[in-house]
């Protein structure tokens, strides 16, 4: 199973239009506000930090480059070729490697695992942006990459984020400028219940080792100058003996 062509085309269109400058994309917050606090939560649960680290849904590579300074082998993967072009252009020194990957396609994740071996996998908000019919296949692909020794480190919007996003989209002046392109391309986060995420992981053979709450920070601000944050849940999952 692989993602629908509509979904793939939506992402290509979004990233082709996306500005190259840092912080121009709604979720492209600085690593000090995103990957850094996530790592503080995830690292105690990594059974082997020396494993390759796959940044799944890497987009323009902002977090990937940060991760590449802290792990020996980092690979940013994304469904969108246009996103990967942004990532490569922003990384002229080649801190990380980048590759196109449909993580919901079993043969693609199996091939990558055969190449890398077990890996730690980091993803932020990816599951919520998937089509409902692709979500279990995506998590199955994550489980394939993780193998026996790796860990999956996820940050996903919680159910309370739906109300926040609806309020932003339905304001009297319309959605904020950085949220508008996401909605226009039809890739607004879908609805995944808090209970569904561990169920997807369990069905893929992974056990949730730790979880908690942490706001997902965006690059957009409210009229009063406060940064927009979306309620989210973080989870670490892996195989247990």
């Amino acid at each position: 199973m692989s993602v629908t062509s509509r979904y793939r085309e939506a992402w290509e269109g979004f990233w082709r239009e996306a500005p190259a400058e840092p912080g121009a994309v709604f979720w492209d917050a600085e690593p000090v506000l995103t990957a850094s606090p996530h790592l503080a939560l995830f690292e105690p649960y990594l059974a082997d930090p020396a494993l390759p680290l796959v940044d799944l849904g890497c987009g323009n590579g902002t977090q990937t480059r940060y991760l590449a300074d802290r792990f020996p082998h980092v690979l940013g993967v994304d469904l969108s070729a246009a996103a990967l072009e942004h990532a490569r252009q922003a990384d002229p020194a080649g801190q990380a490697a980048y590759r196109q990957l449909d993580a919901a396609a079993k043969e693609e994740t199996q091939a990558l695992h055969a190449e890398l071996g077990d890996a730690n996998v980091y993803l932020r908000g990816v599951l919520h942006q998937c089509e409902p019919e692709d979500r279990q296949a995506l998590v199955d692909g994550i489980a394939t990459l993780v193998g026996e020794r790796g860990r999956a480190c996820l940050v996903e919007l919680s159910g309370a984020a739906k109300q926040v996003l609806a309020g932003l989209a339905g304001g009297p002046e319309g959605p904020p400028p950085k949220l508008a392109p996401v909605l226009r391309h039809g890739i607004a986060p879908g609805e995944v219940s808090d209970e569904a995420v561990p169920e997807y992981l369990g069905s893929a053979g992974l056990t949730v080792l730790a979880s908690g709450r942490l706001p997902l920070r965006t690059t957009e601000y409210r009229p009063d100058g406060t940064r927009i944050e979306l309620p989210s849940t973080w989870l670490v999952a892996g195989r247990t003996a």
Side-chain angles (χ1 to χ4, degrees):
M1 181 178 182
S2 63
V3 299
T4 63
S5 59
R6 186 214 66 80
Y7 180 68
R8 186 189 298 270
E9 290 165 4
W11 276 111
E12 288 294 354
F14 173 83
W15 281 113
R16 280 195 297 266
E17 291 183 11
E21 60 264 22
V25 173
F26 183 66
W27 54 80
D28 192 31
E30 311 93 300
V32 69
L33 300 176
T34 48
S36 179
H38 297 161
L39 278 183
L41 296 167
F42 296 151
E43 282 185 309
Y45 299 97
L46 299 181
D48 187 351
L51 292 177
L53 177 67
V54 176
D55 182 10
L56 199 159
C58 69
N60 60 3
T62 299
Q63 313 307 320
T64 319
R65 296 188 296 276
Y66 175 87
L67 295 168
D69 282 337
R70 288 150 182 83
F71 293 91
H73 181 193
V74 175
L75 175 66
V77 301
D78 203 280
L79 178 68
S80 167
L84 294 169
E85 184 61 25
H86 277 290
R88 293 187 181 105
Q89 289 184 358
D91 188 8
Q95 290 175 274
Y98 304 93
R99 187 177 307 182
Q100 192 169 14
L101 179 78
D102 178 353
K106 183 177 181 179
E107 66 277 8
E108 293 193 29
T109 54
Q110 286 179 334
L112 185 57
H113 181 262
E115 176 185 339
L116 297 180
D118 292 354
N120 294 314
V121 179
Y122 171 66
L123 64 159
R124 183 173 59 103
V126 175
L127 189 59
H128 277 80
Q129 293 171 341
C130 282
E131 301 282 6
E133 62 269 25
D134 294 327
R135 289 171 187 155
Q136 186 61 61
L138 171 68
V139 179
D140 291 345
I142 293 168
T144 296
L145 296 174
V146 164
E148 297 299 323
R149 297 181 296 145
R151 295 288 184 261
C153 308
L154 301 83
V155 180
E156 291 293 337
L157 298 183
S158 65
K162 181 181 179 181
Q163 184 176 355
V164 177
L165 287 166
L168 293 170
E173 298 181 358
K178 294 179 185 178
L179 180 58
V182 181
L183 302 176
R184 186 173 68 252
H185 285 281
I187 52 176
E191 184 175 350
V192 182
S193 70
D194 295 355
E195 297 77 18
V197 178
E199 289 176 2
Y200 285 129
L201 291 165
S203 294
L206 300 177
T207 299
V208 175
L209 306 175
S211 65
R213 302 286 184 177
L214 184 72
L216 190 62
R217 295 177 172 90
T218 76
T219 62
E220 191 60 276
Y221 293 82
R222 300 181 187 276
D224 64 3
T226 59
R227 187 186 289 259
I228 294 172
E229 298 183 348
L230 301 176
S232 70
T233 301
W234 63 268
L235 306 95
V236 181
R239 301 191 193 277
T240 57

